[in-house]
Short mmCIF file of all heavy atoms in Angstrom, two decimals:
data_model
loop_
_atom_site.label_atom_id
_atom_site.label_comp_id
_atom_site.label_asym_id
_atom_site.label_seq_id
_atom_site.Cartn_x
_atom_site.Cartn_y
_atom_site.Cartn_z
N SER K 91 118.77 69.64 133.97
CA SER K 91 119.36 68.71 133.02
C SER K 91 118.49 68.53 131.78
O SER K 91 118.38 67.44 131.23
CB SER K 91 119.65 67.38 133.69
OG SER K 91 118.52 66.95 134.41
N TYR K 92 117.86 69.61 131.38
CA TYR K 92 117.10 69.74 130.12
C TYR K 92 115.93 68.76 130.01
O TYR K 92 114.84 69.15 129.63
CB TYR K 92 117.99 69.57 128.88
CG TYR K 92 119.45 69.91 129.07
CD1 TYR K 92 120.45 69.04 128.65
CD2 TYR K 92 119.83 71.11 129.68
CE1 TYR K 92 121.78 69.35 128.83
CE2 TYR K 92 121.18 71.42 129.87
CZ TYR K 92 122.14 70.54 129.46
OH TYR K 92 123.43 70.82 129.65
N HIS K 93 116.20 67.46 130.26
CA HIS K 93 115.13 66.45 130.15
C HIS K 93 114.43 66.47 128.81
O HIS K 93 113.21 66.46 128.74
CB HIS K 93 114.11 66.62 131.28
CG HIS K 93 114.59 66.07 132.59
ND1 HIS K 93 115.43 64.99 132.69
CD2 HIS K 93 114.36 66.48 133.87
CE1 HIS K 93 115.68 64.75 133.96
NE2 HIS K 93 115.06 65.64 134.71
N LEU K 94 115.22 66.48 127.74
CA LEU K 94 114.60 66.25 126.43
C LEU K 94 114.38 64.75 126.28
O LEU K 94 115.04 63.95 126.94
CB LEU K 94 115.51 66.78 125.33
CG LEU K 94 115.78 68.29 125.38
CD1 LEU K 94 116.77 68.69 124.30
CD2 LEU K 94 114.50 69.07 125.24
N LEU K 95 113.45 64.39 125.40
CA LEU K 95 113.22 62.95 125.17
C LEU K 95 114.21 62.45 124.12
O LEU K 95 114.24 62.95 123.00
CB LEU K 95 111.78 62.72 124.73
CG LEU K 95 110.77 63.02 125.83
CD1 LEU K 95 109.34 62.93 125.30
CD2 LEU K 95 110.95 62.09 127.02
N ASP K 96 115.03 61.46 124.53
CA ASP K 96 116.16 61.03 123.70
C ASP K 96 115.74 60.47 122.34
O ASP K 96 116.47 60.56 121.37
CB ASP K 96 116.95 59.94 124.42
CG ASP K 96 117.45 60.42 125.77
OD1 ASP K 96 118.00 61.54 125.81
OD2 ASP K 96 117.28 59.70 126.76
N ASP K 97 114.56 59.82 122.32
CA ASP K 97 114.16 59.14 121.09
C ASP K 97 113.51 60.08 120.09
O ASP K 97 113.18 59.66 118.99
CB ASP K 97 113.17 58.02 121.41
CG ASP K 97 113.79 56.97 122.29
OD1 ASP K 97 115.03 56.87 122.27
OD2 ASP K 97 113.05 56.25 122.97
N LEU K 98 113.28 61.33 120.48
CA LEU K 98 112.56 62.25 119.61
C LEU K 98 113.50 63.32 119.09
O LEU K 98 114.44 63.73 119.77
CB LEU K 98 111.40 62.90 120.37
CG LEU K 98 110.38 61.94 121.01
CD1 LEU K 98 109.25 62.74 121.64
CD2 LEU K 98 109.83 60.96 119.99
N THR K 99 113.23 63.80 117.86
CA THR K 99 114.03 64.89 117.30
C THR K 99 113.65 66.19 118.00
O THR K 99 112.69 66.25 118.79
CB THR K 99 113.75 65.04 115.80
OG1 THR K 99 112.38 65.42 115.66
CG2 THR K 99 114.02 63.76 115.05
N VAL K 100 114.41 67.24 117.68
CA VAL K 100 114.15 68.55 118.26
C VAL K 100 112.70 68.96 117.98
O VAL K 100 111.95 69.34 118.89
CB VAL K 100 115.14 69.57 117.66
CG1 VAL K 100 114.69 70.99 117.97
CG2 VAL K 100 116.54 69.32 118.20
N ALA K 101 112.30 68.84 116.72
CA ALA K 101 110.94 69.26 116.36
C ALA K 101 109.91 68.43 117.10
O ALA K 101 108.91 68.96 117.60
CB ALA K 101 110.75 69.13 114.86
N GLU K 102 110.17 67.14 117.18
CA GLU K 102 109.20 66.27 117.87
C GLU K 102 109.13 66.60 119.36
O GLU K 102 108.06 66.56 119.97
CB GLU K 102 109.59 64.80 117.67
CG GLU K 102 109.34 64.29 116.26
CD GLU K 102 110.02 62.97 115.95
OE1 GLU K 102 110.94 62.58 116.72
OE2 GLU K 102 109.66 62.34 114.96
N ASN K 103 110.30 66.93 119.94
CA ASN K 103 110.30 67.32 121.35
C ASN K 103 109.44 68.56 121.56
O ASN K 103 108.69 68.64 122.53
CB ASN K 103 111.74 67.59 121.81
CG ASN K 103 112.32 66.41 122.57
OD1 ASN K 103 111.91 66.13 123.68
ND2 ASN K 103 113.27 65.70 121.95
N LEU K 104 109.53 69.49 120.63
CA LEU K 104 108.74 70.72 120.77
C LEU K 104 107.25 70.41 120.66
O LEU K 104 106.42 71.09 121.26
CB LEU K 104 109.14 71.72 119.69
CG LEU K 104 110.53 72.33 119.81
CD1 LEU K 104 110.74 73.41 118.75
CD2 LEU K 104 110.73 72.93 121.19
N LYS K 134 118.36 72.66 113.14
CA LYS K 134 118.58 71.53 114.04
C LYS K 134 117.31 70.69 114.25
O LYS K 134 117.29 69.78 115.06
CB LYS K 134 119.05 72.04 115.40
CG LYS K 134 120.18 73.06 115.34
CD LYS K 134 121.35 72.60 116.16
CE LYS K 134 122.58 73.47 116.06
NZ LYS K 134 122.74 74.27 114.83
N LYS K 135 116.26 71.03 113.50
CA LYS K 135 114.97 70.45 113.88
C LYS K 135 114.92 68.92 113.77
O LYS K 135 114.19 68.28 114.50
CB LYS K 135 113.85 71.07 113.07
CG LYS K 135 113.76 70.67 111.61
CD LYS K 135 112.58 71.39 110.97
CE LYS K 135 112.42 71.15 109.50
NZ LYS K 135 112.26 69.74 109.11
N ASP K 136 115.77 68.35 112.87
CA ASP K 136 115.71 66.90 112.72
C ASP K 136 116.81 66.17 113.49
O ASP K 136 116.97 64.96 113.36
CB ASP K 136 115.78 66.53 111.24
CG ASP K 136 114.51 66.95 110.51
OD1 ASP K 136 113.43 66.87 111.15
OD2 ASP K 136 114.60 67.36 109.34
N LEU K 137 117.56 66.93 114.29
CA LEU K 137 118.61 66.27 115.08
C LEU K 137 118.03 65.70 116.37
O LEU K 137 116.97 66.12 116.84
CB LEU K 137 119.73 67.28 115.42
CG LEU K 137 120.47 67.86 114.21
CD1 LEU K 137 121.61 68.76 114.69
CD2 LEU K 137 121.03 66.73 113.34
N TYR K 138 118.77 64.73 116.93
CA TYR K 138 118.36 64.16 118.21
C TYR K 138 119.10 64.89 119.33
O TYR K 138 120.19 65.44 119.10
CB TYR K 138 118.66 62.67 118.25
CG TYR K 138 117.68 61.88 117.42
CD1 TYR K 138 117.92 61.61 116.08
CD2 TYR K 138 116.48 61.45 117.99
CE1 TYR K 138 117.01 60.94 115.31
CE2 TYR K 138 115.55 60.76 117.21
CZ TYR K 138 115.82 60.50 115.89
OH TYR K 138 114.89 59.82 115.14
N PRO K 139 118.55 64.91 120.51
CA PRO K 139 119.17 65.69 121.61
C PRO K 139 120.67 65.39 121.79
O PRO K 139 121.44 66.31 122.00
CB PRO K 139 118.38 65.24 122.83
CG PRO K 139 117.04 64.89 122.30
CD PRO K 139 117.27 64.33 120.92
N ASN K 140 121.08 64.09 121.67
CA ASN K 140 122.48 63.79 121.95
C ASN K 140 123.41 64.32 120.84
O ASN K 140 124.61 64.20 120.93
CB ASN K 140 122.70 62.31 122.20
CG ASN K 140 122.28 61.46 121.01
OD1 ASN K 140 122.00 61.98 119.92
ND2 ASN K 140 122.25 60.14 121.21
N GLN K 141 122.81 64.91 119.79
CA GLN K 141 123.64 65.51 118.74
C GLN K 141 123.81 67.02 118.96
O GLN K 141 124.39 67.70 118.13
CB GLN K 141 123.00 65.26 117.37
CG GLN K 141 122.98 63.78 117.01
CD GLN K 141 122.13 63.49 115.79
OE1 GLN K 141 120.93 63.73 115.80
NE2 GLN K 141 122.77 62.99 114.75
N LEU K 142 123.28 67.52 120.08
CA LEU K 142 123.33 68.95 120.37
C LEU K 142 124.25 69.20 121.57
O LEU K 142 124.46 68.32 122.40
CB LEU K 142 121.94 69.48 120.72
CG LEU K 142 120.84 69.33 119.66
CD1 LEU K 142 119.52 69.83 120.24
CD2 LEU K 142 121.19 70.07 118.39
N SER K 143 124.78 70.47 121.64
CA SER K 143 125.55 70.84 122.83
C SER K 143 124.58 71.09 123.97
O SER K 143 123.37 71.21 123.77
CB SER K 143 126.36 72.10 122.55
OG SER K 143 125.47 73.21 122.54
N GLY K 144 125.13 71.23 125.19
CA GLY K 144 124.28 71.47 126.36
C GLY K 144 123.47 72.74 126.20
O GLY K 144 122.26 72.75 126.47
N GLY K 145 124.11 73.82 125.75
CA GLY K 145 123.41 75.08 125.60
C GLY K 145 122.28 74.97 124.61
O GLY K 145 121.16 75.46 124.84
N GLN K 146 122.55 74.29 123.49
CA GLN K 146 121.51 74.10 122.48
C GLN K 146 120.35 73.28 123.03
O GLN K 146 119.18 73.56 122.77
CB GLN K 146 122.09 73.42 121.25
CG GLN K 146 123.03 74.32 120.47
CD GLN K 146 123.85 73.55 119.45
OE1 GLN K 146 124.15 72.37 119.66
NE2 GLN K 146 124.22 74.23 118.37
N GLN K 147 120.71 72.27 123.84
CA GLN K 147 119.66 71.43 124.41
C GLN K 147 118.77 72.26 125.33
O GLN K 147 117.54 72.15 125.29
CB GLN K 147 120.27 70.26 125.19
CG GLN K 147 120.90 69.21 124.29
CD GLN K 147 121.24 67.94 125.04
OE1 GLN K 147 120.45 67.43 125.81
NE2 GLN K 147 122.43 67.42 124.82
N GLN K 148 119.41 73.12 126.13
CA GLN K 148 118.59 73.92 127.05
C GLN K 148 117.74 74.92 126.26
O GLN K 148 116.61 75.19 126.65
CB GLN K 148 119.49 74.63 128.08
CG GLN K 148 118.75 75.22 129.25
CD GLN K 148 118.01 74.18 130.09
OE1 GLN K 148 117.19 73.43 129.58
NE2 GLN K 148 118.33 74.11 131.37
N VAL K 150 116.41 74.35 123.39
CA VAL K 150 115.26 73.56 122.96
C VAL K 150 114.29 73.36 124.11
O VAL K 150 113.07 73.47 123.97
CB VAL K 150 115.70 72.21 122.38
CG1 VAL K 150 114.50 71.34 122.03
CG2 VAL K 150 116.59 72.41 121.16
N ALA K 151 114.87 73.07 125.31
CA ALA K 151 114.02 72.81 126.47
C ALA K 151 113.20 74.05 126.80
O ALA K 151 112.01 73.95 127.14
CB ALA K 151 114.87 72.39 127.67
N ARG K 154 110.51 74.40 124.32
CA ARG K 154 109.45 73.43 124.60
C ARG K 154 108.58 73.92 125.77
O ARG K 154 107.38 73.71 125.77
CB ARG K 154 110.08 72.07 124.91
CG ARG K 154 109.09 70.95 125.01
CD ARG K 154 109.77 69.63 125.31
NE ARG K 154 110.42 69.64 126.62
CZ ARG K 154 111.03 68.59 127.14
NH1 ARG K 154 111.09 67.45 126.48
NH2 ARG K 154 111.59 68.67 128.31
N ARG L 416 120.60 54.78 130.85
CA ARG L 416 119.25 54.97 130.34
C ARG L 416 119.20 54.92 128.83
O ARG L 416 118.26 54.42 128.24
CB ARG L 416 118.65 56.27 130.86
CG ARG L 416 119.33 57.51 130.31
CD ARG L 416 118.46 58.72 130.58
NE ARG L 416 118.94 59.81 129.73
CZ ARG L 416 119.46 60.94 130.20
NH1 ARG L 416 119.58 61.13 131.48
NH2 ARG L 416 119.85 61.88 129.36
N ARG L 717 111.70 58.13 133.86
CA ARG L 717 112.11 59.50 133.62
C ARG L 717 111.28 60.12 132.49
O ARG L 717 110.76 61.22 132.62
CB ARG L 717 113.59 59.52 133.25
CG ARG L 717 114.10 60.90 132.91
CD ARG L 717 115.58 60.85 132.57
NE ARG L 717 115.92 61.92 131.64
CZ ARG L 717 115.81 61.84 130.33
NH1 ARG L 717 115.37 60.72 129.77
NH2 ARG L 717 116.14 62.85 129.56
N ILE L 721 108.91 63.42 132.56
CA ILE L 721 109.03 64.57 131.65
C ILE L 721 107.70 64.85 130.99
O ILE L 721 107.22 65.98 130.95
CB ILE L 721 110.09 64.30 130.56
CG1 ILE L 721 111.46 64.15 131.20
CG2 ILE L 721 110.10 65.44 129.55
CD1 ILE L 721 112.52 63.65 130.24
#
Side-chain angles (χ1 to χ4, degrees):
Chain K
S91 48
Y92 335 131
H93 282 328
L94 298 176
L95 293 174
D96 302 313
D97 297 337
L98 303 184
T99 64
V100 166
E102 287 166 344
N103 260 290
L104 291 186
K134 311 236 174 335
K135 73 180 176 58
D136 291 325
L137 297 184
Y138 285 90
N140 60 10
Q141 295 169 298
L142 301 176
S143 74
Q146 289 167 330
Q147 289 192 45
Q148 193 61 305
V150 175
R154 189 180 64 177
Chain L
R416 67 165 196 244
R717 177 179 151 274
I721 296 170

